[in-house]
Amino acid sequence: MSIQILGTGSYVPEKIVTNDDLSKMVETSDEWITQRVGVRERHVSVHESAAEMGAIAAQRALEAAGITADQLGLIVGATVSADYGCPSLSAAIQNAIGASCPAFDVNSACSGFMFALDTAAAFIARGGIRYALVLGAERLSRILDWTDRSTCVIFGDGAGAAVVAPGESYLASHLFTSGNDSVLSIPLGKGNSPFYEKDVEPLAVHMSGQETFKFAVKQIVGDIKLICEQAGISPEQIDYIVPHQANIRIIDLAARRLGVPMEKFIVNIEKIGNTSSASVPISFDGLVRSGKLKKGDLIVLCAFGGGLSSGACLLRW
Ligand code: UT7
């Protein structure tokens, strides 16, 4: 048994931080960020927690799906910037929306939503779950080093969610992990132990940009080819690709290598930036709400990031 998407929702904080705002904080410029990354502005939380953003996105997805929180049988959330180590982000969202089903998080960094969706699909295939909520919610602004111009200009905050149910829309999927903390990592700092003697980097996003860039392009292209092969279609047959919004140049290169025109890629990086695990569901919600989708359209969701990890799936609308 496969799944279908019943409804999507998203939320980004009210506060917008522009490239010019950041130019006053670190040595950078609107020109550099726009040309090298593609971000012009990002939303940054002033008062919304990761769980509060996730709960609003979840509520919007439930409304779009036409169901209520008490009908949910499962919540699987993805995040690298949860408000608490415990309870999980998903547990906090369960409480906020008034659901009573099992709720837990997966952590696969920016690929997290792909891992969460596949997990929900597996639970639904097992049987016994009628509706599942899958989401990504991030308050990355909490864990960025705001003096590091190579990372703080890239990311933004936000949340995206989807309600899924048994169906026949999930045609293929692929997940990839290659454990490696030297390219992209978020160390959580030294902690409180008076006994621990090892040196630990402080809490922040650490990223080797160019290594990540090369990995990203290779994975998008390889993962999409693989799921197309699984489904017996060619990449030209895809109607829309919803990629992780990490860098417009990554998307552009992947489009050229796949031979798929840029118009088929959903791009919102200019206004949203990179919201890690929330990136794909926010962009997907934008596509769903744009009214462009027609019954039968073939849609790819794909992401890559820390782990290193990547994931992609093919959906029939
Ligand atoms: O979501 C997780 C996955 N993440 C990604 O996929 C990110 C992938 N990587 C990237 O998007 C790009 O590698 C970055 C946007 C992170 C960096 O762009 P780049 O073109 O690879 O730049 P670079 O790191 O090679 O740096 C080029 C120059 C350096 O100066 P020098 O050494 O040439 O003098 C940097 O210090 O640009 C400098 N630089 C900046 N200049 C102005 C780095 N950040 C900035 C900045 N403003 N914000």
Side-chain angles (χ1 to χ4, degrees), residues 27-29 32-33 36-37 110 149-150 153-155 184 207 209-210 212-213 216 244 246-247 249-250 274 276 304-306:
E27 202 182 322
T28 191
S29 64
W32 192 95
I33 306 169
R36 304 303 299 169
V37 194
C110 303
R149 69 177 182 173
S150 70
V153 304
I154 296 170
F155 296 97
L184 177 47
M207 181 169 71
Q210 291 194 358
T212 315
F213 192 105
H244 175 39
N247 189 316
R249 291 183 296 128
I250 292 176
N274 178 344
S276 190
F304 49 82

Side-chain angles (χ1 to χ4, degrees), residues 11-304:
Y11 176 81
V12 287
E14 283 162 30
K15 183 169 176 66
I16 292 172
V17 175
T18 65
N19 290 347
D20 286 337
D21 294 333
L22 290 178
S23 305
K24 292 174 195 136
M25 295 165 61
V26 287
E27 202 182 322
T28 191
S29 64
D30 177 45
E31 192 191 3
W32 192 95
I33 306 169
T34 307
Q35 285 178 5
R36 304 303 299 169
V37 194
V39 185
R40 285 187 191 276
E41 56 190 42
R42 69 286 293 144
H43 295 253
V44 174
S45 171
V46 176
H47 54 79
E48 303 98 331
S49 68
E52 282 165 346
M53 290 188 273
I56 298 171
Q59 204 59 60
R60 289 177 179 170
L62 289 168
E63 277 161 29
I67 68 158
T68 49
D70 57 324
Q71 292 177 275
L72 288 171
L74 178 72
I75 301 175
V76 190
T79 188
V80 289
S81 55
D83 310 302
Y84 294 90
C86 160
S88 67
L89 171 83
S90 298
I93 291 171
Q94 184 228 42
N95 183 39
I97 63 176
S100 56
C101 57
F104 61 89
D105 296 346
V106 299
N107 176 345
S108 196
C110 303
S111 318
F113 184 79
M114 307 313 305
F115 281 69
L117 188 61
D118 218 45
T119 304
F123 267 87
I124 285 177
R126 191 189 65 171
I129 289 175
R130 196 149 165 229
Y131 302 110
L133 176 71
V134 184
L135 59 97
E138 304 282 5
R139 187 159 77 83
L140 296 167
S141 55
R142 184 174 71 78
I143 59 170
L144 289 172
D145 175 353
W146 286 95
T147 64
D148 174 11
R149 69 177 182 173
S150 70
T151 51
C152 76
V153 304
I154 296 170
F155 296 97
D157 297 335
V163 173
V164 301
E168 298 305 325
S169 301
Y170 199 61
L171 305 185
S173 69
H174 173 67
L175 302 177
F176 171 87
T177 307
S178 167
N180 174 358
D181 64 3
S182 64
V183 178
L184 177 47
S185 66
I186 307 173
L188 293 180
K190 192 155 167 42
N192 295 327
S193 170
F195 304 106
Y196 199 67
E197 289 183 352
K198 250 174 121 173
D199 282 339
V200 180
E201 286 179 289
L203 170 68
V205 176
H206 299 261
M207 181 169 71
S208 159
Q210 291 194 358
E211 286 300 301
T212 315
F213 192 105
K214 285 182 222 153
F215 170 77
V217 176
K218 183 167 141 269
Q219 290 309 116
I220 295 191
V221 174
D223 289 354
I224 292 180
K225 284 186 175 165
L226 218 141
I227 54 169
C228 284
E229 236 173 79
Q230 275 180 34
I233 65 157
S234 68
E236 298 90 74
Q237 289 175 264
I238 302 167
D239 295 293
Y240 296 101
I241 298 181
V242 184
H244 175 39
Q245 312 284 317
N247 189 316
I248 190 66
R249 291 183 296 128
I250 292 176
I251 299 174
D252 192 49
L253 255 176
R256 278 191 268 146
R257 291 200 186 158
L258 281 165
V260 174
M262 265 304 263
E263 300 77 67
K264 289 192 175 186
F265 282 78
I266 302 304
V267 176
N268 62 18
I269 188 169
E270 202 172 302
K271 292 200 168 297
I272 306 287
N274 178 344
T275 54
S276 190
S277 72
S279 177
V280 165
I282 291 174
S283 311
F284 185 40
D285 183 46
L287 172 63
V288 171
R289 285 170 193 268
S290 71
K292 282 191 212 160
L293 286 173
K294 299 185 302 296
K295 194 172 162 41
D297 275 350
L298 292 172
I299 308 159
V300 163
L301 311 183
C302 60
F304 49 82

